[in-house]
Amino acid sequence: ITMATSVNLDISQRLDITCRRGDTFTLTLNVTDSSGTAIALTPYSFKMEVRNSSTNAIVIADSNFVFTKDADATAGKLNIVVTATNMIVPADSYIYDLQTTLAADVQTWLFGVFTVNNDVTA
């Protein structure tokens, strides 16, 4: 028997996000499997946080993210929204991830840099 020397169970994909301070954050994802088939999102729940990479302090809490699945359960569309008020955070580069839960199975689907650009108009 030949044993593998390593295995990678990390399915997450890097997606860096740039948005603007004080603007409504809206991100629509088309979620597919490795063959390009849309994943039915109905049974999934989602969590997302934005944190300061050096202090690990929460900048945008999970409770500020609103996740909406497409009415067509098989479409694989996920809308993620944060209100303009909850986007009033210091302009900077942070880190984030998007976790999913299906029954007791937790997976991180996305991670990356979350850059907030400054805004002039209050």
Side-chain angles (χ1 to χ4, degrees):
I1 296 175
T2 304
M3 296 293 289
T5 59
S6 67
V7 62
N8 184 357
L9 301 176
D10 186 357
I11 67 157
S12 63
Q13 298 292 309
R14 182 173 182 146
L15 177 68
D16 293 338
I17 297 170
T18 301
C19 53
R20 185 147 313 261
R21 179 185 186 276
D23 287 1
T24 301
F25 174 88
T26 304
L27 176 64
T28 300
L29 301 173
N30 293 309
V31 183
T32 61
D33 63 19
S34 59
S35 66
T37 303
I39 295 175
L41 298 177
T42 303
Y44 289 89
S45 62
F46 299 90
K47 288 177 64 174
M48 187 169 169
E49 285 183 342
V50 176
R51 291 181 177 250
N52 182 304
S53 60
S54 58
T55 65
N56 206 34
I58 296 174
V59 177
I60 304 173
D62 174 60
S63 60
N64 293 323
F65 287 90
V66 176
F67 302 97
T68 308
K69 303 162 199 170
D70 194 286
D72 177 358
T74 62
K77 284 192 189 289
L78 176 65
N79 295 306
I80 304 170
V81 176
V82 179
T83 65
T85 301
N86 288 326
M87 285 299 298
I88 299 176
V89 299
D92 207 341
S93 288
Y94 304 103
I95 57 173
Y96 83 96
D97 69 5
L98 172 69
Q99 278 188 344
T100 65
T101 302
L102 177 63
D105 187 21
V106 177
Q107 292 181 324
T108 298
W109 281 1
L110 295 176
F111 72 96
V113 176
F114 192 97
T115 303
V116 178
N117 289 337
N118 208 2
D119 203 11
V120 175
T121 305

